[in-house]
Amino acid sequence: MTTTTTTSTAAIWKILEQVNDPEVPVLSVIDLGIVRDVKFEVSPTGGDLEGTVIVTVTPTYSGCPATDVINMNIRMALLENGYKNIQLKTVLSPAWTTEWMTEAGKEKLKAYGIAPPKPQQTVCTPDSFQQEEAIQCPHCNSYHTKLISRFGSTACKALYQCGDCKEPFDYFKCH
Amino acid sequence: MATNHLINQSTYQPVNLSTSQLINYTLFLADNALILGQRNSEWCGHGPVLEQDIAITNISLDLIGQARNFYQYAASQIGGPATEDSLAYLRTEREFKNLLLVEQPNGDWAGTTLRQFFFSTYQYFLYLQLQNSTDEQLAAIAEKALKEVTYHLRWSSEWVIRLGDGTEESKDRMLAAIDELWPFTGELFLPSAFEIQVAKEIVGADVAIIQKEWQKKVASVFEEATLPLPKDDIYMQRGGKDGVHTEHLGYILAEMQYLQRTYPGCAW
């Protein structure tokens, strides 16, 4: 590791790839797209790890209980890698959207049994009884699925069931 | 504002009616979200079916998250010993500025979903304006929360329609819920001193615009639900914004604040 800003931020991004979402443990905070920015301010006294790491994070949902744990895990991971001065900033705007999730993240979700968010948001108005999105079953790939509940096991997911393999599954709903 | 007698100097009660109308407004937004979040959370483990138990508690979580964002912002404006926790757990009943609507008891499922529908409709049109506030932090919180409120509004509209246009029993319950809750909807659109001031500075929302949109949305959902709109001459309750609450708020605070009052500073 060197003291130049670019190399250090690259190293920090690499570390953050190891920090997972406690509620969807197959996804890293990078896959989720919630790390908005990483800065490294070199300390005037030099020293590779003496500078200040500033990580800017955005929550998925206002009340996501994982947010505090994620912030703590980011801090722990950086401490373990020798960084001493760590600042975590929270920004709300622009609001997080599922579009920020990486393609790799979407594939990991599907392999884990959670239907990834669709690229196009189709249900984003408050009108009642809209036609539901056609969501592909992550188990058998059927589109013959139906919404059970718009609210699921965590704030970011809706509950679906497959009409072919009959398995219930979570859908990472568009947001 | 003629309510200076409410100001409390105690360090445990960091703010009451501040001279800063932005602080009052921020607390008003926070208190609404917190109290309804707390009310909805009473359903946890008691929902009519598992999926709806999960839905109503998800909505609670969103509301409490919004409340935290507003309290954190209020605390940063107030400074000193104020924190999001002291503002939620150590203010008294007369210091809370929430609408009377959100503190009303849950009643049955019709009452809970109708209250959510009235509030989500209000919050949706409020946040639509607030995301363009000249105050960057209020705008950011509203922009973030609007996506969540959209889900709440859809969900609660559908329940009002489902129950209103459902069975005889479900319709009777929805009619009873309207009788119970309608008198608390007038207050939403009676602007307090702080709302008037922040609207003037383009920091807060214009209540008159919210009212127009709210009435339109409620009328269209009621029509689909085959529910009659109450007459105009119904007496409307008010007072929440000035800290004059129904008897229910004290009980909510007693339960919600018990731990911090009994063991000050206690943390998980």
Side-chain angles (χ1 to χ4, degrees), chain A:
Chain A
M1 194 166 301
T2 72
T3 50
T4 66
T5 307
T6 46
T7 317
S8 295
T9 49
I12 293 162
W13 282 102
K14 204 111 199 110
I15 294 167
L16 295 179
E17 280 173 16
Q18 308 302 314
V19 180
N20 291 341
D21 177 347
E23 286 186 339
V24 191
V26 287
L27 291 186
S28 74
V29 292
I30 305 299
D31 292 328
L32 259 179
I34 60 170
V35 177
R36 205 53 84 61
D37 189 34
V38 172
K39 276 204 181 78
F40 185 75
E41 287 175 1
V42 182
S43 145
T45 55
D48 285 358
L49 300 166
E50 302 297 320
T52 304
V53 182
I54 305 165
V55 182
T56 307
V57 180
T58 196
T60 53
Y61 283 67
S62 301
C64 177
T67 307
D68 290 340
V69 180
I70 287 172
N71 284 351
M72 191 181 72
N73 289 348
I74 289 176
R75 189 177 292 280
M76 294 299 283
L78 290 170
L79 284 170
E80 276 170 19
N81 281 276
Y83 294 95
K84 297 181 187 72
N85 306 311
I86 300 150
Q87 282 179 24
L88 281 160
K89 278 194 191 162
T90 302
V91 290
L92 299 173
S93 177
W96 177 83
T97 151
T98 45
E99 286 163 34
W100 295 352
M101 192 181 285
T102 62
E103 283 309 312
K106 288 179 186 172
E107 277 163 32
K108 286 188 215 169
L109 268 183
K110 194 173 176 218
Y112 189 61
I114 298 174
K118 298 187 29 142
Q120 273 289 316
Q121 303 216 346
T122 50
V123 184
C124 43
T125 68
D127 301 331
S128 42
F129 298 113
Q130 297 175 47
Q131 189 171 1
E132 293 302 337
E133 293 168 289
I135 305 302
Q136 191 178 21
C137 170
H139 305 295
C140 73
N141 295 328
S142 164
Y143 276 97
H144 180 210
T145 61
K146 69 167 193 220
L147 175 89
I148 303 287
S149 170
R150 200 160 295 123
F151 298 90
S153 56
T154 64
C156 50
K157 288 182 258 148
L159 191 60
Y160 274 73
Q161 188 178 17
C162 179
D164 285 330
C165 73
K166 307 293 179 200
E167 283 290 319
F169 63 90
D170 273 336
Y171 164 55
F172 212 107
K173 67 190 180 198
C174 284
H175 194 66

Side-chain angles (χ1 to χ4, degrees), chain B:
Chain B
M1 191 168 295
T3 34
N4 283 338
H5 63 283
L6 288 176
I7 291 174
N8 191 313
Q9 304 289 330
S10 157
T11 49
Y12 281 120
Q13 288 157 2
V15 72
N16 185 1
L17 285 168
S18 169
T19 48
S20 157
Q21 299 294 35
L22 180 58
I23 292 177
N24 290 329
Y25 189 64
T26 310
L27 285 172
F28 163 68
L29 298 169
D31 292 344
N32 282 332
L34 179 70
I35 299 301
L36 188 56
Q38 176 74 13
R39 264 295 186 227
N40 284 344
S41 75
E42 292 170 20
W43 277 104
C44 188
H46 301 274
V49 290
L50 180 62
E51 288 77 11
Q52 299 311 324
D53 191 303
I54 293 171
I56 192 78
T57 42
N58 258 264
I59 293 172
S60 269
L61 204 57
D62 288 340
L63 289 170
I64 292 167
Q66 293 167 23
R68 284 190 63 187
N69 286 336
F70 285 124
Y71 282 131
Q72 285 166 10
Y73 182 45
S76 77
Q77 293 175 59
I78 295 162
T83 65
E84 56 173 313
D85 286 337
S86 72
L87 293 172
Y89 294 129
L90 300 173
R91 283 184 307 143
T92 63
E93 196 182 343
R94 295 297 296 263
E95 292 172 292
F96 271 76
K97 302 177 208 330
N98 60 276
L99 299 160
L100 301 178
L101 176 71
V102 298
E103 69 199 36
Q104 296 312 302
N106 286 340
D108 56 13
W109 192 246
T112 294
T113 51
L114 181 70
R115 182 185 60 197
Q116 189 64 46
F117 169 63
F118 285 156
F119 183 73
S120 291
T121 307
Y122 165 77
Q123 212 183 25
Y124 181 78
F125 293 113
L126 168 66
Y127 287 175
L128 263 187
Q129 285 189 59
L130 207 57
Q131 64 177 348
N132 298 320
S133 168
T134 51
D135 183 288
E136 273 179 30
Q137 191 59 15
L138 284 186
I141 298 171
E143 181 196 338
K144 172 89 218 146
L146 195 54
K147 295 183 174 198
E148 296 150 17
V149 177
T150 305
Y151 276 109
H152 305 171
L153 181 50
R154 264 187 81 189
W155 176 87
S156 57
S157 310
E158 289 172 3
W159 271 107
V160 170
I161 295 164
R162 195 177 283 128
L163 296 179
D165 192 22
T167 64
E168 204 177 315
E169 169 80 15
S170 72
K171 180 166 207 142
D172 281 349
R173 285 177 182 247
M174 205 32 103
L175 289 170
I178 295 171
D179 280 347
E180 190 67 38
L181 294 174
W182 192 262
F184 298 105
T185 59
E187 185 193 21
L188 275 55
F189 314 113
L190 290 170
S192 59
F194 53 81
E195 284 173 294
I196 293 168
Q197 185 59 34
V198 293
K200 218 183 287 172
E201 294 163 7
I202 331 176
V203 170
D206 181 339
V207 175
I209 296 173
I210 305 173
Q211 180 173 26
K212 246 167 92 188
E213 298 294 337
W214 187 91
Q215 286 170 336
K216 232 173 25 195
K217 177 74 182 172
V218 170
S220 88
V221 168
F222 271 33
E223 193 189 337
E224 204 177 336
T226 68
L227 291 166
L229 268 183
K231 294 198 174 65
D232 285 342
D233 59 356
I234 288 175
Y235 179 78
M236 290 293 185
Q237 303 287 343
R238 61 186 299 183
K241 293 173 182 177
D242 297 321
V244 183
H245 292 277
T246 60
E247 68 271 32
H248 307 296
L249 183 65
Y251 291 96
I252 298 176
L253 297 187
E255 184 175 331
M256 190 179 75
Q257 298 182 335
Y258 170 81
L259 195 80
Q260 282 305 321
R261 298 276 188 194
T262 314
Y263 303 99
C266 179
W268 293 113

